[in-house]
Structure formats: C-alpha cells, structure tokens
Amino acid sequence: MDFSLLGPVTVTAGPQAAPVELPLGPAKRRSVLAMLLLRPNATVSVEQLISSLWEDEPPAHARTVIQGHVSRLRAALAEGGAEDHGVELATHSSAYLLRVPESLIDTQRFDQLTAQASPESAPGEAVQLLRQALGLWRGPALTGTVASPPFAAAAHALEERRLSAVEALARAHEGLGEHEEAVRALHPAAVANPLREGLIAALMLALYRSGRQSDAIAWFHRTRQLLDDDLGVDPGQRLRAAYQEILRAAPAPAADGPRGGAEATGQQPGGAGQPGAQPAAATPQQPLSAAASAPVPELLPRPPAGFHGRGAELAELTRLTLGSAEPAAGGSGGYPQAGGIALLTGPAGVGKTGLAVHWGHVHAAAFPDGRLFADLRGFSGGEAVVPAVVLREFLLALGTPAEQIPTSSEAAAALYRSLAARRRLLVVLDNAGSSAQVRPLLPGGPHSATLVTSRSRLDGLIATDAARPVRLHALGTEDGVGLLGTLLGPARVAEDPEAARELVALCDGLPLALRAASAQLMARPRWRLARLATALRDERRRLALLSAEDTGVAAALRNSVARLSADDAQLLRALGAGFAREVNTAEAAALSGADPELIQDSLERLAEMHLLDEEATNRYVMSDLVKLFAQGDGSDRDSPGEASGGAAGGAPGGSPGGPSQGG
C-alpha cells in the first residue's frame, strides 16, 4: 500500500508491478485523508478537520459529514488490505488517528532521501539520492484537496522542500563539474519561481560556468526588474553577489569587434558598482570584418505613411536593442544590449508592425550589415509560414548560393546563426503565431537585434530566450487625433475637433480603425468628420464602416478568433452578448453556463490573445469593437459602401502607405 501527497492525493494497493488506485471519493474526503497523512501517527481533532475543509462558515451538520467521510475512508482502506500493511484509521474521542508505517507515505520517503544527501561532501551519492527523491513528485502537492488556507499552506511548505532539493541537486552536479546538468535541474524551477532569488542566483552561476555568460546576465536583469515591478525592492545580497562574480570573471572582449556594455568590459555597468546602471550605447559605425564583403540585405517594407506618436515605445525599443542610456517611462529594467530581443505585443490593429518597421528605418544606420524582415503569418487567416521557408529567404539575402543551402531545417538554422554571428543585423519577425515559430529564426552572436511582433504574449519566448515584452495599447485621444491629422491633413481635422475626438473614441484608439476611417473620408472629400462619426454611432454598421477592401478591424479580429478553440470562441460570443464590458470569473461563468474553473483558463487564453484586457486581478475588460465583433457584427453581410448608405465613391481603395500602423 502506498500513500501519495506529492501530486494528486491517492492511495494505491496491490502488487508493485500492477498497483490499483483505491476509490477515495470527492475532494472533501481526500482532504480528510490528506490532513491525517500530513500528521501520521498523531491525533487530528474534528475541529481541525472542519476548519480545514470549510473556508467559510461550516454547515451545522459538519461533524456528521466528517464522520461519514471517515467511515467511507476506513472501508476503502480495508478493501485495499490496510490491516496487512499495518494501517489503521482509529477514532479517539473527538479526534482521529491514522496509524501508518511512515515508509508508506511519499512525503516521509522524500524527507528521508533528502536528509541522507550531502551535496558538498559526497556529490555523486547525493545526485542519486536527490534524483530519487524528486522522482516521487507527480505534480503540485495535495492536488485534489479543497482550496482552503490550511491546505494551501501545507502545499506551499511541501513545494519549498522540493525547491530546496532542486537547489541541492544542482550543487551536487556543480561539485562534479556537471554545469549543464545543474542548468537542466534549475531552469524549470526558476521559470516557475521567478522571484526566488537564491534559485535564480544558482542558475546564473551554472549558466556562466557552462559557457553561457550572456544568458546568465539576462537572468539577473530580468529578475531585478520583476523584483522592482512586483515587490518594489532591489535584488538581495545573494543575487547581487552572483552577478558581480560573473562580471569579475568575465573574459576580455574579442579583438575582432566591439561588444559594448558590461558584458564586454567585465566591469559593473555604469562603473559605480550599481547593477541597475545601463550599458553604454552601441557603436554601429564599426562594421565587423567578417561581414565587410557580404551583401547588405534590405528586406524591410517601406515605412508606414503618416506614422504618429508612440514616443515612449520607440524609446523603449531603442533602449532594449541599442542600449540607450535612459529607460523609457514605465519601461522594463536594464537589459544586456548584446543580441537583444524585443517582443511587441498587443491586440489586432494596435500598430505593432508599423511601429517595428518605422523604428527599423529610423535606426537603419545602427545595422550596417542589413535589415531582414519576414511576415510569419501567425494571424493571417491561412497557414502560418514554417521557419524553414524563412531561413531559406534569409540565407539567400545574406549571400548564400541556393545550391549551398542545407535541406535540413536544423542545418539551415545553424548556418544562418553562423552567418549572423559576426554581423550587425536587424531582424524583424512580424505576426508570429508561437514561440516555436520564432526560435529557429533568432540570429546568433551578440551584435544583432531582433524585433518580434505578435497578438499573443509569447510567454515561452520570454522564458527561454530572455525576450523583453513591449506592450502596445490603443492610442490616447491626442495621439489619435494627431494620426487623423497626418492622414487627412491638419486643416480638415481642425474644422471639426470635437468630431475628431469622437472618431478616436468610436475607433477605440486603434490605428488600424483610424486609418480605415480616414480612408472613408479621403474617398468622400465633401464629408465632414461629424458625418462619419454619426454613422459610426450605429453599432450595427460600425465594423463595416471601419473596413477598406480586405483590410479592417473585422478582418483582423476574424483572424484572431480563428486561432481560438471552440470553447473559447463560444465564451467570447457569450461575453459579447452580455450587457457589461467588464466581467470577473463568476460573472463570465454565469453568462456562459460553464464551470468557473474552466472559465478561468478560457479568460486567461482570451487575455493572452488580447481579445480581453485583464486590467486587475480577476477583472477582464472587452473593448467596444471586440464586443461588436463577438456579437456577430464582424460578418461580411454589409460592404462599407452599403453600410454608409450607398454614398458616392463606394468603398475606398485601401489605406494609404506601406505597412499600416495598425498591424
């Protein structure tokens, strides 16, 4: 017989080769057993059980419920041969006692194995013992118990013991000189516990000792920013000490080209011993000798016409990729400029592509070896582009003869990284659908910068490749009016400033919607802005009016919704049909008639796709245009011309200029 708490709460019996799981019943019955197993061979009072099983006021018959659960547990254990294993569930007045050999409980075996391990004095034996101990875990501790503070505290304590074992395993590997094994042990735990400074410090040192210095430094800056954002504190002594050890031992820069920043100099950034100081700006005027005779590709689309605003976001991109001295207001913290990856995310139509392309043209001189661009079509309504196709285009652009391009995707990616390693390239990966689609296209070496745009948050790219997110929000009123002025001419906007502000509001501040509205007005030069604003007030016609041929808000949202599962799409429709723009989990469950636990996951996925905005914990907001689309107004039943009352000129022929600011 075996009792498991390190994962789902279960009891198994029978032969070791084919154990059978005993039926334990509902969550409260499992919770009674779990509380008794957390205190084996000791009495647990009925009052303790009641306070653990009911977070709110317990029912009047709580004692009777407990007695019923104990009776059924006793019967289930008896069927599994409890007596043969020395297991007995006894009643002592108003308390219960579970007599059980501690070797039958996985938490007790875990503690015994970790206590025997000595990573410093006997690292080889410790690796075996700790791997055996960690192998007992089958998921989050106490899964299947009720969600009450006593069980949450017990699960947290068990998780702390697991993380201590992970750190001890890493120390044992380090003692054996197995630095990559230490990284493999620490990395998943560090991703799941980004504020555990000791864990991050150990991972940084393991990465550095395995030859991955830039990854180690990136982890420091990421953690420093999280501590500041979430807790408002600076890194502690252990994290700072690990960072300083890496910098002190950093090798001198190679003679073949400048690296810039703290990683190149081996000194504290800023020279004042302060880990938060920013690295110096790059010096792009010094091309690398290896790339001197290579072709200089220019794959960026032409700049978006009428680009306006986004000063803070442009400054943040510059800081992340070129190491400018001052962070933008509200931007993320210091980041090693070498090989930086900036991730532009936001809802459909907010202007991600336009921002990336505009920035690329403004800073073209910083990348003398070329600018690469690929539309990955992650949210374009058709098949996403496979990385192998993009790799071939990039290799051709970098001067590789077609016959020398490897047929294997892995070999092509390796050749691409090698060619990029000594070049100063800007790589723009637009409209990415997933982190896996992006990773093979990241350039090698420290001298290039990568901009990735996506409607999804791409958390995996942040976790594994230290990408730094730059979230794009809708334009404010003044910037929205300014964009209308650049597209229509300032005089036309100045004629009707109140209508211009209303247009921005009716377009939710989305650049794509504002460009579509401008296209309608440019096709109708006699219309005042107020006439279009009046038409847009009609919610039944708004999405149709904010379209221009195959471009518009409805088309963009349709491509986002196409990526949803059937259940998530159904929830979006239910939220669209609801009266409120703002909901919490319970209200969303009531609207859709689904399980609140499942609804929470669906809400998270909708927020990840930027179809909802989580403005606060368990507070989700849907924009007006998304709400209209979810109600069914995103269909193609009306053309823009029909929706506008058949005005002369029909639908305009498209928004002006290359990549729209609404990407």
Side-chain angles (χ1 to χ4, degrees):
M1 181 169 281
D2 189 75
F3 296 87
S4 298
L5 299 176
L6 302 179
V9 176
T10 59
V11 182
T12 55
Q16 272 191 327
V20 176
E21 185 174 328
L22 301 184
L24 297 181
K28 281 191 168 54
R29 192 173 306 157
R30 289 177 185 269
S31 301
V32 170
L33 177 62
M35 188 59 68
L36 295 170
L37 287 169
L38 288 168
R39 300 185 59 187
N41 304 305
T43 57
V44 179
S45 69
V46 172
E47 286 75 16
Q48 286 177 291
L49 290 171
I50 290 174
S51 64
S52 298
L53 264 64
W54 282 276
E55 195 171 354
D56 301 321
E57 187 69 22
H61 60 288
R63 286 178 174 270
T64 304
V65 173
I66 296 289
Q67 291 170 359
H69 286 316
V70 170
S71 175
R72 287 173 175 81
L73 282 173
R74 192 177 281 131
L77 294 174
E79 289 179 10
E83 186 177 354
D84 297 338
H85 293 87
V87 176
E88 179 188 7
L89 178 50
T91 303
H92 286 261
S93 183
S94 59
Y96 297 101
L97 169 68
L98 182 62
R99 295 190 181 94
V100 54
E102 293 187 352
S103 61
L104 300 184
I105 309 174
D106 60 356
T107 53
Q108 300 296 319
R109 296 200 303 275
F110 175 83
D111 287 342
Q112 291 166 6
L113 289 166
T114 55
Q116 295 170 25
S118 180
E120 286 74 24
S121 60
E125 180 185 0
V127 165
Q128 301 303 319
L129 291 169
L130 291 166
R131 284 195 179 279
Q132 186 179 348
L134 291 167
L136 296 171
W137 286 74
R138 298 169 297 110
L142 303 180
T143 299
T145 57
V146 297
S148 68
F151 281 106
H156 177 73
L158 289 170
E159 176 64 11
E160 284 293 311
R161 280 143 69 180
R162 185 187 74 85
L163 291 175
S164 295
V166 169
E167 292 176 350
L169 175 61
R171 291 199 305 273
H173 280 302
E174 292 277 9
L176 296 171
E178 298 171 348
H179 306 303
E180 284 290 353
E181 290 295 330
V183 171
R184 276 191 279 272
L186 292 165
H187 188 270
V191 171
N193 299 271
L195 296 178
R196 190 181 176 95
E197 294 188 52
L199 187 66
I200 305 302
L203 176 60
M204 287 168 54
L205 291 171
L207 284 166
Y208 171 68
R209 291 163 185 161
S210 62
R212 298 165 63 182
Q213 177 184 328
S214 61
D215 289 341
I217 293 176
W219 268 98
F220 172 80
H221 286 286
R222 179 193 310 173
T223 307
R224 184 182 65 79
Q225 186 61 41
L226 284 173
L227 289 168
D228 184 43
D229 289 346
D230 292 2
L231 304 178
V233 299
D234 293 326
Q237 190 275 334
R238 187 173 174 186
L239 197 63
R240 291 198 310 271
Y243 179 66
Q244 290 162 4
E245 179 178 337
I246 292 168
L247 292 180
R248 281 196 303 269
D256 58 359
R259 288 173 65 87
E263 189 177 347
T265 64
Q267 301 294 322
Q268 283 289 80
Q274 297 299 322
Q278 296 299 321
T283 53
Q285 294 81 6
Q286 304 175 35
L288 302 175
S289 57
S293 61
V296 178
E298 179 52 272
L299 303 188
L300 284 180
R302 67 191 185 92
F307 185 91
H308 182 85
R310 299 296 191 197
E313 291 88 348
L314 289 167
E316 180 75 344
L317 288 182
T318 302
R319 189 184 66 81
L320 291 177
T321 53
L322 300 181
S324 61
E326 295 296 332
S332 52
Y335 180 83
Q337 69 190 60
I341 305 169
L343 174 58
L344 286 163
T345 66
V350 81
K352 301 176 292 294
T353 303
L355 178 63
V357 172
H358 175 82
W359 186 92
H361 281 285
V362 169
H363 294 279
F367 305 99
D369 297 320
R371 279 72 58 192
L372 302 175
F373 177 93
D375 179 0
L376 303 183
R377 300 184 62 80
F379 296 87
S380 295
E383 290 292 326
V385 177
V386 296
V389 173
V390 180
L391 283 170
R392 179 175 177 82
E393 296 301 319
F394 282 3
L395 288 171
L396 288 172
L398 292 170
T400 307
E403 63 275 10
Q404 294 182 20
I405 296 177
T407 55
S408 159
S409 296
E410 292 78 9
L415 176 59
Y416 164 63
R417 289 193 298 271
S418 299
L419 291 175
R422 288 168 53 81
R423 289 172 165 84
R424 294 189 184 280
L425 294 169
L426 172 64
V427 180
V428 180
L429 303 173
D430 184 45
N431 198 8
S434 68
S435 298
Q437 190 186 22
V438 169
R439 288 192 185 101
L441 305 175
L442 298 175
H447 309 293
S448 297
T450 306
L451 305 184
V452 181
T453 78
S454 180
R455 297 183 196 178
S456 176
R457 291 198 307 251
L458 300 191
D459 293 342
L461 202 65
I462 298 171
T464 62
D465 296 277
R468 297 309 295 258
V470 179
R471 169 71 192 275
L472 263 66
H473 298 276
L475 294 174
T477 301
E478 294 308 313
D479 278 339
V481 171
L483 177 58
L484 287 174
T486 62
L487 297 172
L488 298 171
R492 193 170 182 189
V493 172
E495 288 177 357
D496 212 345
E498 287 301 320
R501 284 190 281 272
E502 185 179 4
L503 282 176
V504 173
L506 290 167
C507 291
D508 280 347
L510 287 179
L512 178 62
L514 290 167
R515 286 177 177 273
S518 297
Q520 295 276 13
L521 290 165
M522 282 188 282
R524 301 162 177 82
R526 296 184 180 179
W527 275 28
R528 291 176 58 86
L529 273 61
R531 181 169 178 180
L532 179 59
T534 300
L536 289 174
R537 289 182 203 136
D538 186 344
E539 294 183 346
R540 296 168 301 174
R541 303 164 59 196
R542 190 179 304 169
L543 286 175
L545 282 164
L546 296 178
S547 299
E549 291 195 87
D550 59 348
T551 299
V553 177
L557 289 173
R558 189 174 299 110
N559 291 336
S560 290
V561 173
R563 292 285 303 273
L564 299 177
S565 68
D567 289 342
D568 291 349
Q570 182 178 358
L571 174 60
L572 186 71
R573 288 193 293 272
L575 296 178
F579 177 75
R581 290 178 62 248
E582 179 182 317
V583 295
N584 58 31
T585 304
E587 292 163 346
L591 282 171
S592 63
D595 186 335
E597 291 186 7
L598 299 178
I599 286 298
Q600 180 65 56
D601 292 339
S602 287
L603 289 171
E604 286 291 333
R605 288 190 292 269
L606 292 176
E608 182 180 353
M609 296 283 285
H610 295 99
L611 291 165
L612 296 178
D613 191 15
E614 188 176 11
E615 291 194 348
T617 302
N618 197 26
R619 179 185 168 208
Y620 297 89
V621 176
M622 178 181 286
S623 73
D624 289 338
L625 293 180
V626 173
K627 190 171 181 67
L628 291 175
F629 181 86
Q631 292 169 354
D633 285 324
S635 67
D636 289 324
R637 62 176 181 238
D638 292 324
S639 71
E642 291 166 343
S644 58
S655 59
S660 79
Q661 198 177 342

